[in-house]
Structures are given as structure tokens and as C-alpha cells.
Amino acid sequence: MRTLFFTISLLYLFPVLGQVQQDSLEIELRQKVNDAANDSLKVHYLIELTKEVEKYSIDQGRDLMNQTLQLINNIDAPSYHFLKQKAIVFDLLGKYESRQTNYKNALDLKLKALKIREKLQDSFEIAKSYHNIGMIFRYEKEYDKSKSYFLKCIAIRKRYLDSTQLSRTYNMLGVVHYYTKQNDSAMYYYQLSKNYALTLEEKAKSNDNIAAIYYTTGNYKEAIEIYKENLAIFKSSKNYNFVVNNLMHLSKIHSDLGKHQEAVAYVDEALDYAKKYGSTSKLALIFQLRSHVHEEMGAYKYALKDYRNHKFYYDSIYNVRNAKKITVLELNHQFQKEKLADSLQFANEKREIELKAETQKTRNQLYVVLLIAAVVGIIALLIVMRNRKKLNKERIKKEQLEKELLDEKLKHTTYQTKQLIADNKMRLQFKQEFLVKLKKVKQHADAVDVSDFQSLITDLNSQITTESKFDFIGDNIEQIDREFNEKLRRLYPDLTKSEREICALMRMNLSLKEIMVIRNVTMGSIKASRHRIRKKIGLDREQELEQFISKLV
């Protein structure tokens, strides 16, 4: 019993001791920053402190790195060591911008880090920059560019046998292949990543992605086991970005299995962590997932609210203007590199051309100008074509989402309307039965009991309730599809309110007989209204009115 008590006590104490140890490390690093004897040590400790602080606060991490950057910039003629540290600072600042979906700023900072490392000819750190830039393009769904940078990174890291970094890059390369639906290649790179991983957390990151493949292939049990195991690991290490990812995966799987309460619990926890950590890029996906779960549960009010939040964050992240700025920034960086190489080549050629005739020199300079003009023209054309394609893609996707929501609303309203039509048929049957009962009461007036009248009154009250429901939808038919009604009013202002209501009922695929019942008019009246509508809209004889109305929105 004592042994069992001691074991349970240790299990409760380990997380607390880990937290105390981590807080102690932060306090120790802050003290070292204050006591640093020179700028070199101070910069080093500031970077180490930032790596601890960023686990729970991106904003504090950014503040520390901005202090470090200012410290380095104040140094006259910084040495190789300080330039190397400056590249690390740009990398960390870029990571924070990326976490908050400021991808244009993130790419700018990552390219500054790469420029410094290329100047220092530090191939080991150049590989790091390639990996970071590949991550930015992965977030922006530029998968071909992402693969290219990851492969360049791996080629360098293999020369240095850097196991930890190779594990991370292989893992990300697997993710890119997974997003392009190449599961076999993705699984191959994930296994390579696990083979190179040295820590439990790095292996957990690879296992996370393997679980994603299990999920997409229907192996839910294996996927859930991996995600739960990894969730505990990432919570322990305070890696909240991966905590949010695992909670979202668990919510989606439980939703697919029909366990909606568990799904809501997981997605709500993910939302809390994302807000706490400031990970704006996750909010769009979290609200989209929660909208889906609420829709599956039939909680349409909450589903619509979550969907609106999803659209707000999605539009703020993936807008065309940011994508254009990122592309231009990358092309400018590439152009600067090419321009530098061309200028060196031109200098060598110039020394040779000076020995030749002046006319030859002028001709060669003209060729260079024409070449640059052609390159600039091609680049500008590619930018315009790419942006136009991306803009059309975003617009089509947005219209599709809006159409799907509108169709769902129309289906629900149509169902209610047809239910009320059925009620109306029952109402006719009730009137016939009620008439029969009334005649019987009249025939036996002398022997009628009070209970007989009470029964008739009860039946009559029930029928009044049913008819009031039917009259409600008849009186408010204009509200069934507000968007459709407004479009009819705008395009065909000659249509009366009654004619617009008939169009709305025809759009729900109701027959003329059903419309007659709802409108409480004769068939001849409905046909006459239909003829007037065709005339005011201006349809040819070959065109079907119902088909034209169904395609109007």
C-alpha cells in the first residue's frame, strides 16, 4: 500500500517538477542576460531565453528578438559571429510572423536571413534557411516550391549528417506529399524522419503525420491512439501549436464516428489553446471544424455562427493581395541574385571589350539592356497570369460555399412546406368527418349528451391550430428565400407580390396543384398567373418557366 501511494504521488509530482524546472531555467537565463560581460554573451543568452519564452508567448518572444536586433545593429562593423546571430534573429522573427499568418513579413525576414548566410558562405545555415522558406510556401499551399526548397535543404544536411534537422525536413517533405495526395511517398518520408529523430517530441511529430494517413485510409482506432499519445507529449513540452493540431484531429475523427459531444469538447479545447497562444492561422480551421460538428448535431444556429467566424479569419489569411506581395518579394530576391551574378560577368567582359573596338562595346551593352528588358517583361507577364488565376479560384470557391448554404436552407424550407401541404389534405378529411358527426348530432338532437359537444369542440380547436400554421407560411411565403425574392424584384419590377410568391413556390419544385392548395385559389387562377409571369419575364415558347426560375440564383 505504501509503495502504491508513493508511486501515485510521483505521478502527480512529475508535471509540477517539470514546470518548476522550466520556470527556473527562464529565471536563470534572464539573470545571465542582465549579468552578461559583453555583447556577444548577451546576444547568445537573449536568443536562448527567447526559445523558452516563445513556448507560451509569441509576443514576448518577438519583443526579446527586437531588442537583440537593435543591440546587433548598434555594433560598428559587426564580426562574422554577430552576423551569424543576426540571421538567427531574423529566422525567429519570421517564425513569429508566420505563426500569426503574416506570411509576407515572414518571407521577407527569412530571405534576409538567407542573404546574410549566403554572404558568409555558411552552407550549414543556408540549409536552415531553405527549410524555413519551404515552410512558408507550404503554408501558402505553393507545394512545388516547398518541395524544391526542402530537397535543396536535405542535399546540404546529408553532407553534415545532422540527424535532428534531417528528421524535421524529411517530416515536412512528407507533409507536402500528403497534401498532394501521394500517401506512399509521404509514408516513406515520415519513416525516414522517425529514423533520424533523436527526441521523443521529434518522433511524435512524425507519428502525428502517420496518424493523418491512418485517418484518411479509415484506420480510426490507430489514428486516435497516436493522437492521444502525442497530445500528452506536446502538452508536457508546452508545444501548443502541436497541441492544437492534435485536438483538432481528435475532434474530426470523433465527429466522423458520430461521437459529437466528444468532438465538441476537443474542438473547444483547441480553440482555447489557439487564443491563448495567439496562433491566428489555426482559428479559421478551428471554426470551420466546429461549424461542421454543430451541423452534424443539427445545431444549425451555432453552425452558421462558427461558419461566419471561419470566413472572417479565412479571408484575412488567404487574400489575393498578400499572395501577390509574397510572389513579388521572392521574384525580387531571385532577380537581385541574378543581377549580382550578371554584374560580375559584365565586369570581366568589360575588361576584355576595352581591348576591342568602341562599336563592339556599344553593341554588347545593347544586348544586355534588351535581355534585361525581356526578363522583366516575362516576369511581369507571369505575375499577372498567376494572380488572375488565383483570384478566379478564390472567387469560385467562395461562390460555391455560398451556394451550398443557400441550397441547404431551401431544402429545409421545401420540406416544411410539403409537410404543411400534407396537413392541408388532412384538414379536408377532418372537415368531411366533422360534417358527418354534426349531421348525426342533428338527427339525434333529443338524445345528445354534453360530452358529444365537448368532443366536437376539441376536434375543432385542434384543426384551428393546424390551419394557423398553414396560414403562417402562406402569409410569409415571401420570406422563404429573401435573396431570390430580391433578385426577382430587381430584374423584373413588373411582377406583383403575388406573382413573386408563386415563383418562389415553383422554385421549390412544387406542382401547380400544390401551389393551388397553398394559395387557396383555383387551378385556372394559378395557370393565368403562370401565363402573366412568362409574359412579364419575356420567355420564349421553347423555354420552361420552372427551369428558368431554378437557374435564376
Side-chain angles (χ1 to χ4, degrees):
M1 179 64 72
R2 289 182 178 178
T3 303
L4 178 61
F5 177 79
F6 180 71
T7 303
I8 295 173
S9 300
L10 283 178
L11 289 174
Y12 278 101
L13 281 173
F14 277 146
V16 177
L17 291 174
Q19 177 66 42
V20 171
Q21 184 178 5
Q22 197 162 22
D23 292 343
S24 300
L25 177 59
E26 181 182 335
I27 293 171
E28 180 183 352
L29 286 170
R30 288 187 183 276
Q31 188 62 43
K32 287 182 177 180
V33 169
N34 293 330
D35 298 340
N38 52 57
D39 290 341
S40 178
L41 283 174
K42 189 169 186 177
V43 168
H44 169 74
Y45 289 132
L46 277 168
I47 291 174
E48 293 302 313
L49 175 60
T50 301
K51 291 177 181 178
E52 289 298 317
V53 171
E54 71 177 12
K55 293 178 181 178
Y56 63 84
S57 175
I58 288 177
D59 292 333
Q60 288 189 39
R62 183 188 287 110
D63 290 341
L64 288 170
M65 283 299 90
N66 283 327
Q67 293 176 28
T68 309
L69 184 61
Q70 185 176 3
L71 179 63
I72 296 174
N73 288 337
N74 290 335
I75 299 173
D76 295 329
S79 62
Y80 177 93
H81 169 76
F82 281 113
L83 289 175
K84 190 172 182 178
Q85 298 292 72
K86 187 175 184 178
I88 295 174
V89 171
F90 281 135
D91 262 346
L92 290 171
L93 287 171
K95 180 171 71 173
Y96 304 149
E97 294 295 325
S98 176
R99 289 277 176 85
Q100 295 183 328
T101 70
N102 300 319
Y103 296 126
K104 187 260 181 186
N105 295 339
L107 182 59
D108 186 13
L109 291 162
K110 299 292 185 183
L111 290 174
K112 286 180 179 179
L114 176 60
K115 187 175 181 180
I116 292 173
R117 287 160 179 163
E118 287 175 342
K119 181 180 179 180
L120 298 176
Q121 297 182 350
D122 187 347
S123 57
F124 184 87
E125 292 297 314
I126 287 173
K128 182 178 180 181
S129 285
Y130 286 156
H131 176 94
N132 293 334
I133 294 171
M135 290 294 293
I136 299 296
F137 284 120
R138 196 204 94 185
Y139 296 144
E140 278 296 284
K141 302 179 182 179
E142 297 279 353
Y143 297 128
D144 289 336
K145 292 181 180 180
S146 182
K147 287 180 185 178
S148 173
Y149 278 102
F150 286 143
L151 289 172
K152 287 196 291 185
C153 171
I154 288 171
I156 297 175
R157 284 178 170 171
K158 278 184 175 180
R159 298 203 301 265
Y160 291 93
L161 298 177
D162 187 352
S163 296
T164 300
Q165 299 303 327
L166 269 173
S167 172
R168 293 175 182 173
T169 306
Y170 272 127
N171 190 33
M172 289 301 102
L173 188 57
V175 170
V176 174
H177 282 86
Y178 171 75
Y179 285 157
T180 54
K181 304 187 184 304
Q182 298 171 288
N183 286 346
D184 290 338
S185 297
M187 186 67 80
Y188 168 75
Y189 287 118
Y190 292 153
Q191 292 297 340
L192 281 177
S193 175
K194 287 182 66 176
N195 292 341
Y196 282 104
L198 299 178
T199 66
L200 187 63
E201 184 173 352
E202 289 299 326
K203 288 183 179 180
K205 291 177 182 178
S206 300
N207 282 331
D208 243 13
N209 296 322
I210 291 174
I213 294 180
Y214 283 146
Y215 166 68
T216 56
T217 54
N219 297 321
Y220 295 134
K221 183 178 179 181
E222 292 86 348
I224 289 174
E225 289 176 358
I226 293 175
Y227 284 134
K228 285 186 175 180
E229 181 181 348
N230 288 351
L231 182 61
I233 294 171
F234 293 131
K235 281 185 176 180
S236 176
S237 62
K238 285 190 174 181
N239 195 332
Y240 296 129
N241 190 45
F242 280 88
V243 168
V244 171
N245 288 343
N246 278 263
L247 289 169
M248 289 175 65
H249 292 318
L250 287 168
S251 176
K252 183 67 172 70
I253 294 175
H254 282 84
S255 176
D256 290 348
L257 293 173
K259 299 178 180 180
H260 298 124
Q261 294 300 331
E262 292 91 333
V264 169
Y266 281 122
V267 75
D268 285 345
E269 188 177 357
L271 183 60
D272 290 340
Y273 272 105
K275 288 180 177 179
K276 175 182 177 182
Y277 188 57
S279 185
T280 313
S281 61
K282 301 292 183 184
L283 292 177
L285 297 174
I286 292 172
F287 279 116
Q288 183 183 35
L289 175 58
R290 196 164 74 169
S291 175
H292 171 74
V293 175
H294 280 139
E295 184 179 2
E296 291 293 319
M297 295 173 66
Y300 298 113
K301 177 180 178 181
Y302 295 107
L304 180 59
K305 181 180 178 181
D306 288 333
Y307 179 77
R308 287 172 176 167
N309 286 328
H310 155 70
K311 288 289 294 177
F312 171 79
Y313 285 104
Y314 181 89
D315 291 340
S316 67
I317 295 170
Y318 301 106
N319 59 75
V320 176
R321 189 166 51 185
N322 280 348
K324 179 179 178 181
K325 290 179 180 178
I326 288 176
T327 304
V328 171
L329 189 61
E330 185 212 358
L331 291 173
N332 284 341
H333 173 72
Q334 187 66 26
F335 179 77
Q336 290 298 326
K337 287 181 64 178
E338 292 175 358
K339 185 177 179 181
L340 179 61
D342 289 342
S343 65
L344 293 173
Q345 181 180 359
F346 178 76
N348 292 331
E349 291 177 353
K350 184 177 180 181
R351 284 193 293 270
E352 296 176 2
I353 292 173
E354 286 175 349
L355 303 176
K356 298 179 182 180
E358 183 66 26
T359 56
Q360 188 66 32
K361 175 182 175 182
T362 304
R363 185 181 303 168
N364 288 341
Q365 289 176 337
L366 179 61
Y367 289 157
V368 173
V369 171
L370 292 175
L371 177 62
I372 293 175
V375 170
V376 171
I378 292 172
I379 291 174
L381 181 62
L382 288 174
I383 292 174
V384 172
M385 292 176 63
R386 182 175 178 276
N387 289 337
R388 184 177 298 172
K389 181 179 178 181
K390 195 160 188 177
L391 182 62
N392 288 335
K393 185 177 179 181
E394 292 290 338
R395 178 179 56 78
I396 291 171
K397 187 173 182 180
K398 183 176 180 181
E399 290 177 355
Q400 184 64 26
L401 286 171
E402 292 175 350
K403 185 177 183 298
E404 289 175 0
L405 284 177
L406 186 61
D407 288 343
E408 285 298 321
K409 179 181 176 183
L410 185 60
K411 286 178 183 177
H412 181 68
T413 307
T414 302
Y415 173 78
Q416 288 182 324
T417 304
K418 290 189 175 181
Q419 286 291 101
L420 289 173
I421 291 173
D423 287 345
N424 189 55
K425 292 179 180 177
M426 293 176 64
R427 179 177 65 177
L428 179 61
Q429 183 180 355
F430 166 82
K431 289 179 179 179
Q432 292 172 346
E433 293 174 356
F434 186 85
L435 182 61
V436 171
K437 290 181 180 180
L438 202 59
K439 287 179 178 179
K440 286 182 179 180
V441 171
K442 182 179 179 181
Q443 291 174 359
H444 304 88
D446 297 332
V448 172
D449 191 72
V450 175
S451 60
D452 293 332
F453 285 106
Q454 186 63 40
S455 175
L456 291 175
I457 291 171
T458 302
D459 290 345
L460 190 58
N461 283 334
S462 176
Q463 183 60 20
I464 289 172
T465 302
T466 300
E467 290 184 11
S468 65
K469 285 165 49 181
F470 183 80
D471 291 337
F472 175 79
I473 193 168
D475 293 338
N476 294 277
I477 195 68
E478 186 178 355
Q479 302 300 321
I480 291 177
D481 193 343
R482 185 181 300 276
E483 182 181 348
F484 177 75
N485 185 66
E486 289 300 323
K487 191 162 187 177
L488 278 179
R489 190 193 301 273
R490 187 176 68 255
L491 295 178
Y492 308 105
D494 293 336
L495 291 176
T496 65
K497 178 183 178 183
S498 175
E499 290 166 348
R500 289 197 302 274
E501 291 175 355
I502 291 174
C503 289
L505 293 171
M506 292 173 68
R507 184 169 181 264
M508 292 188 290
N509 294 324
L510 299 181
S511 66
L512 294 180
K513 186 176 180 180
E514 291 171 330
I515 296 174
M516 177 189 73
V517 172
I518 293 175
R519 300 289 298 169
N520 195 23
V521 296
T522 65
M523 179 61 74
S525 176
I526 294 297
K527 289 183 178 180
S529 297
R530 190 174 181 274
H531 177 73
R532 288 195 300 273
I533 292 170
R534 288 182 60 90
K535 186 175 180 181
K536 290 181 181 181
I537 292 177
L539 289 184
D540 297 331
R541 289 187 177 181
E542 295 79 12
Q543 289 181 281
E544 289 291 334
L545 178 58
E546 289 79 3
Q547 186 178 8
F548 175 82
I549 289 174
S550 67
K551 294 181 179 180
L552 194 57
V553 177

